[in-house]
Amino acid sequence: MWIAGSQYGPNPLNFAHQRQQGEQMQQRIGFIGLGIMGQAMAANILKAGFSLTVYNRSAERCMPLAEIGAHVAATPQAVADASDVMILMLTGPEAVDAVLHGESGLLAGACKGKTVINMSTVPQSCSQQLNQQLQGRGITFVDAPVSGSKIPAQQGTLVILAGGAESAVQALEPLLLSMGSRVIYCGEAGCGSAMKLAINLLLGTMMEGLAEASHLAEASGLSSATFLQAVAAGPLACGLFRIKEEMIINGHYPPQFPFRHMAKDMQFVQQAAADRGVSLPVGSLLAGMFDPNAPVALLDQDFAAVKCLLQ
């Protein structure tokens, strides 16, 4: 494993690295999927000086990026024709499949010799299959989901969890670091996706723990603000709890990482555990809490709204 963007990554003063970065900046980037995360990530690519072409199924989401210099494509195929590196930031395997293989899909365009980076959260097996499929078409594949939600995406401080050929990931560092503060090389294709599911299992566990602990504190006559102040003062302090503090205190959960996405990811975690014969007692309970069949009003809120399920 190596980590770019930290003391373990390349020296930014190294001439060879600077030359590689300059060459990468000449590449044409395509970005497909402009949701809560994708909108901010694409904007940061533009701010870093890359040429960018964007596509989203709902075309109006492209307009803010067009206003700051992005080209807007009418189809995924047009993104492929206009780009050297194509990034997918979609809701899951079905959306990825539709973008690749649907009418005027990405693979209908000029993709041979180019690179596809899937930053969507999908099962490890899905990334492995994509790698095999795209390699057969002469396309380099990297799976690079991210750790972080809306605010880190806006600030460009996401952690990029990358899998694929190590040389390919290294070559993409300038692009990836335009969206994040760290690139962690996890291993061969699929390892980035496996890392993301492990990270999200921990994320869900921490959020449910915070929800239950604050629920108990409130039931015991303590204010949420005082409880969170005590948490922040000691060794339990962490960035996640700080980001969710206002939500817990006010009981309002505007989506940074929607509940529906965590619910989807927890089903992927359960399937990964079943495939590998791994016991996840808490993970199994979490999959029941983060239910993809929950009411839409809950699914559309931030995943911190899991606290609403406590009685």
Short mmCIF file of all heavy atoms in Angstrom, two decimals, residues 259-304:
data_model
loop_
_atom_site.label_atom_id
_atom_site.label_comp_id
_atom_site.label_asym_id
_atom_site.label_seq_id
_atom_site.Cartn_x
_atom_site.Cartn_y
_atom_site.Cartn_z
N PHE A 259 -29.46 8.60 3.59
CA PHE A 259 -29.81 7.34 4.24
C PHE A 259 -29.92 6.23 3.20
O PHE A 259 -29.47 5.09 3.43
CB PHE A 259 -31.14 7.53 4.98
CG PHE A 259 -31.54 6.40 5.88
CD1 PHE A 259 -31.43 6.50 7.25
CD2 PHE A 259 -32.07 5.21 5.36
CE1 PHE A 259 -31.83 5.47 8.09
CE2 PHE A 259 -32.47 4.17 6.18
CZ PHE A 259 -32.34 4.30 7.57
N ARG A 260 -30.52 6.51 2.03
CA ARG A 260 -30.73 5.49 1.01
C ARG A 260 -29.40 4.92 0.51
O ARG A 260 -29.31 3.76 0.17
CB ARG A 260 -31.56 6.02 -0.15
CG ARG A 260 -30.92 7.07 -1.01
CD ARG A 260 -31.74 7.37 -2.27
NE ARG A 260 -33.03 8.00 -1.96
CZ ARG A 260 -34.21 7.37 -2.08
NH1 ARG A 260 -34.27 6.12 -2.51
NH2 ARG A 260 -35.33 8.01 -1.79
N HIS A 261 -28.35 5.73 0.48
CA HIS A 261 -27.05 5.25 0.02
C HIS A 261 -26.41 4.33 1.06
O HIS A 261 -25.81 3.31 0.72
CB HIS A 261 -26.13 6.43 -0.31
CG HIS A 261 -26.58 7.19 -1.52
ND1 HIS A 261 -25.97 8.36 -1.93
CD2 HIS A 261 -27.58 6.97 -2.41
CE1 HIS A 261 -26.57 8.81 -3.03
NE2 HIS A 261 -27.56 7.98 -3.33
N MET A 262 -26.53 4.71 2.33
CA MET A 262 -26.02 3.81 3.37
C MET A 262 -26.80 2.52 3.38
O MET A 262 -26.22 1.43 3.57
CB MET A 262 -26.07 4.50 4.74
CG MET A 262 -25.61 3.60 5.90
SD MET A 262 -23.92 2.96 5.71
CE MET A 262 -22.97 4.35 6.32
N ALA A 263 -28.11 2.58 3.19
CA ALA A 263 -28.94 1.37 3.15
C ALA A 263 -28.48 0.45 2.03
O ALA A 263 -28.35 -0.77 2.21
CB ALA A 263 -30.41 1.74 2.99
N LYS A 264 -28.23 1.01 0.86
CA LYS A 264 -27.73 0.23 -0.28
C LYS A 264 -26.38 -0.40 0.06
O LYS A 264 -26.16 -1.60 -0.18
CB LYS A 264 -27.60 1.15 -1.49
CG LYS A 264 -26.78 0.59 -2.65
CD LYS A 264 -26.60 1.61 -3.75
CE LYS A 264 -25.80 2.81 -3.37
NZ LYS A 264 -24.35 2.52 -3.20
N ASP A 265 -25.50 0.40 0.62
CA ASP A 265 -24.15 -0.09 0.91
C ASP A 265 -24.16 -1.19 1.97
O ASP A 265 -23.35 -2.13 1.91
CB ASP A 265 -23.26 1.06 1.37
CG ASP A 265 -23.00 2.07 0.25
OD1 ASP A 265 -23.39 1.79 -0.90
OD2 ASP A 265 -22.43 3.14 0.54
N MET A 266 -25.07 -1.09 2.93
CA MET A 266 -25.13 -2.12 3.97
C MET A 266 -25.60 -3.45 3.39
O MET A 266 -25.22 -4.52 3.88
CB MET A 266 -26.03 -1.68 5.12
CG MET A 266 -25.43 -0.59 6.00
SD MET A 266 -23.78 -0.98 6.64
CE MET A 266 -24.08 -2.53 7.47
N GLN A 267 -26.40 -3.41 2.33
CA GLN A 267 -26.78 -4.66 1.66
C GLN A 267 -25.56 -5.26 0.94
O GLN A 267 -25.38 -6.47 0.93
CB GLN A 267 -27.93 -4.41 0.67
CG GLN A 267 -29.15 -3.71 1.27
CD GLN A 267 -29.61 -4.28 2.60
OE1 GLN A 267 -29.86 -5.48 2.72
NE2 GLN A 267 -29.74 -3.41 3.60
N PHE A 268 -24.73 -4.40 0.37
CA PHE A 268 -23.49 -4.88 -0.26
C PHE A 268 -22.57 -5.50 0.79
O PHE A 268 -21.92 -6.52 0.54
CB PHE A 268 -22.75 -3.72 -0.95
CG PHE A 268 -23.46 -3.14 -2.14
CD1 PHE A 268 -23.12 -1.87 -2.59
CD2 PHE A 268 -24.45 -3.82 -2.82
CE1 PHE A 268 -23.75 -1.31 -3.69
CE2 PHE A 268 -25.10 -3.28 -3.92
CZ PHE A 268 -24.75 -2.02 -4.35
N VAL A 269 -22.52 -4.88 1.97
CA VAL A 269 -21.69 -5.42 3.06
C VAL A 269 -22.18 -6.81 3.46
O VAL A 269 -21.39 -7.74 3.64
CB VAL A 269 -21.72 -4.46 4.28
CG1 VAL A 269 -21.15 -5.15 5.52
CG2 VAL A 269 -20.94 -3.19 3.98
N GLN A 270 -23.50 -6.95 3.60
CA GLN A 270 -24.07 -8.24 3.98
C GLN A 270 -23.74 -9.31 2.93
O GLN A 270 -23.40 -10.45 3.28
CB GLN A 270 -25.59 -8.11 4.12
CG GLN A 270 -26.02 -7.38 5.36
CD GLN A 270 -25.68 -8.13 6.62
OE1 GLN A 270 -24.66 -7.88 7.26
NE2 GLN A 270 -26.53 -9.08 7.00
N GLN A 271 -23.84 -8.95 1.65
CA GLN A 271 -23.55 -9.90 0.60
C GLN A 271 -22.07 -10.28 0.60
O GLN A 271 -21.72 -11.46 0.42
CB GLN A 271 -23.93 -9.32 -0.77
CG GLN A 271 -23.81 -10.31 -1.92
CD GLN A 271 -24.67 -11.54 -1.72
OE1 GLN A 271 -25.88 -11.43 -1.54
NE2 GLN A 271 -24.06 -12.73 -1.72
N ALA A 272 -21.20 -9.30 0.83
CA ALA A 272 -19.76 -9.58 0.88
C ALA A 272 -19.45 -10.53 2.03
O ALA A 272 -18.64 -11.47 1.88
CB ALA A 272 -18.97 -8.28 1.03
N ALA A 273 -20.08 -10.32 3.18
CA ALA A 273 -19.86 -11.19 4.33
C ALA A 273 -20.34 -12.61 4.04
O ALA A 273 -19.67 -13.59 4.37
CB ALA A 273 -20.57 -10.63 5.56
N ALA A 274 -21.50 -12.72 3.39
CA ALA A 274 -22.04 -14.05 3.04
C ALA A 274 -21.12 -14.76 2.04
O ALA A 274 -20.85 -15.95 2.17
CB ALA A 274 -23.44 -13.90 2.46
N ASP A 275 -20.62 -14.01 1.06
CA ASP A 275 -19.74 -14.61 0.04
C ASP A 275 -18.45 -15.14 0.65
O ASP A 275 -17.89 -16.12 0.16
CB ASP A 275 -19.40 -13.57 -1.04
CG ASP A 275 -20.59 -13.20 -1.90
OD1 ASP A 275 -21.62 -13.93 -1.87
OD2 ASP A 275 -20.52 -12.17 -2.61
N ARG A 276 -17.99 -14.51 1.71
CA ARG A 276 -16.70 -14.87 2.31
C ARG A 276 -16.85 -15.68 3.59
O ARG A 276 -15.86 -16.01 4.23
CB ARG A 276 -15.88 -13.60 2.57
CG ARG A 276 -15.40 -12.97 1.27
CD ARG A 276 -15.11 -11.49 1.41
NE ARG A 276 -14.69 -10.92 0.13
CZ ARG A 276 -15.51 -10.65 -0.88
NH1 ARG A 276 -16.81 -10.89 -0.75
NH2 ARG A 276 -15.05 -10.15 -2.01
N GLY A 277 -18.08 -15.97 3.99
CA GLY A 277 -18.30 -16.75 5.19
C GLY A 277 -17.89 -16.03 6.46
O GLY A 277 -17.41 -16.65 7.41
N VAL A 278 -18.05 -14.71 6.46
CA VAL A 278 -17.63 -13.87 7.59
C VAL A 278 -18.84 -13.51 8.44
O VAL A 278 -19.89 -13.12 7.91
CB VAL A 278 -16.96 -12.58 7.07
CG1 VAL A 278 -16.66 -11.63 8.21
CG2 VAL A 278 -15.67 -12.91 6.32
N SER A 279 -18.69 -13.62 9.74
CA SER A 279 -19.77 -13.25 10.66
C SER A 279 -19.66 -11.77 11.02
O SER A 279 -18.61 -11.31 11.49
CB SER A 279 -19.68 -14.10 11.93
OG SER A 279 -20.63 -13.67 12.90
N LEU A 280 -20.76 -11.03 10.81
CA LEU A 280 -20.81 -9.61 11.17
C LEU A 280 -22.06 -9.37 12.01
O LEU A 280 -23.08 -8.89 11.52
CB LEU A 280 -20.86 -8.75 9.91
CG LEU A 280 -19.70 -8.83 8.92
CD1 LEU A 280 -19.97 -7.95 7.71
CD2 LEU A 280 -18.38 -8.44 9.58
N PRO A 281 -22.01 -9.72 13.30
CA PRO A 281 -23.22 -9.59 14.12
C PRO A 281 -23.79 -8.18 14.16
O PRO A 281 -25.00 -7.97 13.99
CB PRO A 281 -22.74 -10.03 15.51
CG PRO A 281 -21.52 -10.85 15.26
CD PRO A 281 -20.88 -10.28 14.04
N VAL A 282 -22.94 -7.18 14.39
CA VAL A 282 -23.42 -5.80 14.43
C VAL A 282 -23.81 -5.35 13.03
O VAL A 282 -24.81 -4.66 12.83
CB VAL A 282 -22.34 -4.87 15.02
CG1 VAL A 282 -22.78 -3.41 14.92
CG2 VAL A 282 -22.07 -5.24 16.48
N GLY A 283 -23.04 -5.76 12.02
CA GLY A 283 -23.36 -5.41 10.64
C GLY A 283 -24.73 -5.92 10.23
O GLY A 283 -25.46 -5.23 9.51
N SER A 284 -25.09 -7.10 10.70
CA SER A 284 -26.41 -7.65 10.37
C SER A 284 -27.52 -6.80 10.98
O SER A 284 -28.56 -6.55 10.36
CB SER A 284 -26.52 -9.09 10.87
OG SER A 284 -25.59 -9.91 10.19
N LEU A 285 -27.32 -6.35 12.22
CA LEU A 285 -28.30 -5.48 12.86
C LEU A 285 -28.39 -4.14 12.13
O LEU A 285 -29.48 -3.59 11.94
CB LEU A 285 -27.92 -5.26 14.32
CG LEU A 285 -28.04 -6.48 15.25
CD1 LEU A 285 -27.48 -6.16 16.63
CD2 LEU A 285 -29.49 -6.93 15.36
N LEU A 286 -27.24 -3.61 11.71
CA LEU A 286 -27.23 -2.34 11.00
C LEU A 286 -27.98 -2.44 9.68
O LEU A 286 -28.67 -1.49 9.28
CB LEU A 286 -25.79 -1.89 10.74
CG LEU A 286 -25.02 -1.32 11.93
CD1 LEU A 286 -23.57 -1.07 11.52
CD2 LEU A 286 -25.66 -0.04 12.42
N ALA A 287 -27.82 -3.57 8.99
CA ALA A 287 -28.53 -3.75 7.72
C ALA A 287 -30.04 -3.70 7.91
O ALA A 287 -30.77 -3.30 7.01
CB ALA A 287 -28.10 -5.06 7.07
N GLY A 288 -30.50 -4.11 9.10
CA GLY A 288 -31.92 -4.00 9.42
C GLY A 288 -32.33 -2.58 9.74
O GLY A 288 -33.44 -2.15 9.41
N MET A 289 -31.44 -1.83 10.38
CA MET A 289 -31.73 -0.44 10.70
C MET A 289 -31.73 0.42 9.43
O MET A 289 -32.65 1.22 9.19
CB MET A 289 -30.70 0.10 11.70
CG MET A 289 -30.68 -0.59 13.04
SD MET A 289 -32.11 -0.21 14.06
CE MET A 289 -31.78 1.47 14.54
N PHE A 290 -30.67 0.25 8.63
CA PHE A 290 -30.57 0.99 7.37
C PHE A 290 -31.28 0.17 6.29
O PHE A 290 -30.67 -0.52 5.49
CB PHE A 290 -29.11 1.25 7.01
CG PHE A 290 -28.42 2.22 7.94
CD1 PHE A 290 -27.56 1.78 8.93
CD2 PHE A 290 -28.67 3.58 7.83
CE1 PHE A 290 -26.93 2.67 9.78
CE2 PHE A 290 -28.05 4.49 8.68
CZ PHE A 290 -27.18 4.03 9.66
N ASP A 291 -32.58 0.29 6.30
CA ASP A 291 -33.44 -0.54 5.46
C ASP A 291 -33.73 0.17 4.13
O ASP A 291 -34.28 1.28 4.12
CB ASP A 291 -34.76 -0.80 6.21
CG ASP A 291 -35.72 -1.68 5.44
OD1 ASP A 291 -35.39 -2.12 4.32
OD2 ASP A 291 -36.82 -1.93 5.98
N PRO A 292 -33.37 -0.43 2.99
CA PRO A 292 -33.65 0.23 1.71
C PRO A 292 -35.13 0.37 1.41
O PRO A 292 -35.52 1.11 0.50
CB PRO A 292 -32.97 -0.70 0.68
CG PRO A 292 -32.78 -2.00 1.38
CD PRO A 292 -32.63 -1.70 2.82
N ASN A 293 -35.98 -0.32 2.18
CA ASN A 293 -37.43 -0.22 2.01
C ASN A 293 -38.08 0.74 3.01
O ASN A 293 -39.29 0.75 3.16
CB ASN A 293 -38.07 -1.60 2.14
CG ASN A 293 -37.59 -2.55 1.05
OD1 ASN A 293 -37.59 -2.20 -0.13
ND2 ASN A 293 -37.16 -3.74 1.44
N ALA A 294 -37.25 1.53 3.67
CA ALA A 294 -37.77 2.53 4.62
C ALA A 294 -38.59 3.58 3.88
O ALA A 294 -38.49 3.72 2.65
CB ALA A 294 -36.61 3.19 5.36
N PRO A 295 -39.43 4.33 4.58
CA PRO A 295 -40.21 5.39 3.92
C PRO A 295 -39.30 6.37 3.18
O PRO A 295 -38.19 6.66 3.62
CB PRO A 295 -40.93 6.08 5.09
CG PRO A 295 -41.00 5.01 6.16
CD PRO A 295 -39.75 4.21 6.02
N VAL A 296 -39.80 6.87 2.06
CA VAL A 296 -39.01 7.78 1.22
C VAL A 296 -38.55 9.00 2.02
O VAL A 296 -37.42 9.49 1.84
CB VAL A 296 -39.83 8.22 -0.01
CG1 VAL A 296 -39.10 9.33 -0.78
CG2 VAL A 296 -40.09 7.03 -0.92
N ALA A 297 -39.39 9.48 2.91
CA ALA A 297 -39.03 10.65 3.71
C ALA A 297 -37.77 10.41 4.52
O ALA A 297 -36.98 11.33 4.76
CB ALA A 297 -40.19 11.03 4.63
N LEU A 298 -37.57 9.18 4.97
CA LEU A 298 -36.36 8.83 5.71
C LEU A 298 -35.20 8.59 4.75
O LEU A 298 -34.07 9.05 4.98
CB LEU A 298 -36.60 7.58 6.56
CG LEU A 298 -35.40 7.05 7.37
CD1 LEU A 298 -34.88 8.13 8.32
CD2 LEU A 298 -35.80 5.80 8.15
N LEU A 299 -35.44 7.89 3.66
CA LEU A 299 -34.39 7.57 2.70
C LEU A 299 -33.72 8.82 2.14
O LEU A 299 -32.52 8.80 1.84
CB LEU A 299 -34.96 6.74 1.54
CG LEU A 299 -35.44 5.34 1.88
CD1 LEU A 299 -36.14 4.71 0.66
CD2 LEU A 299 -34.28 4.45 2.34
N ASP A 300 -34.48 9.91 2.03
CA ASP A 300 -33.95 11.13 1.44
C ASP A 300 -33.20 12.00 2.44
O ASP A 300 -32.56 12.99 2.05
CB ASP A 300 -35.09 11.96 0.82
CG ASP A 300 -35.60 11.33 -0.47
OD1 ASP A 300 -34.89 10.50 -1.06
OD2 ASP A 300 -36.74 11.67 -0.88
N GLN A 301 -33.24 11.66 3.73
CA GLN A 301 -32.51 12.42 4.73
C GLN A 301 -31.08 11.89 4.86
O GLN A 301 -30.72 10.87 4.27
CB GLN A 301 -33.22 12.32 6.08
CG GLN A 301 -34.60 12.96 6.09
CD GLN A 301 -35.20 12.99 7.48
OE1 GLN A 301 -34.80 13.77 8.33
NE2 GLN A 301 -36.18 12.13 7.70
N ASP A 302 -30.27 12.60 5.62
CA ASP A 302 -28.92 12.13 5.89
C ASP A 302 -28.98 10.83 6.69
O ASP A 302 -29.95 10.58 7.42
CB ASP A 302 -28.14 13.18 6.69
CG ASP A 302 -26.66 12.84 6.79
OD1 ASP A 302 -25.92 13.14 5.84
OD2 ASP A 302 -26.26 12.28 7.83
N PHE A 303 -27.94 10.01 6.56
CA PHE A 303 -27.98 8.73 7.27
C PHE A 303 -27.94 8.89 8.78
O PHE A 303 -28.27 7.97 9.52
CB PHE A 303 -26.87 7.80 6.76
CG PHE A 303 -25.51 8.02 7.36
CD1 PHE A 303 -24.95 7.08 8.21
CD2 PHE A 303 -24.75 9.15 7.06
CE1 PHE A 303 -23.68 7.25 8.75
CE2 PHE A 303 -23.49 9.33 7.58
CZ PHE A 303 -22.94 8.39 8.43
N ALA A 304 -27.60 10.09 9.28
CA ALA A 304 -27.68 10.36 10.72
C ALA A 304 -29.11 10.28 11.22
O ALA A 304 -29.35 10.14 12.43
CB ALA A 304 -27.09 11.73 11.04
#
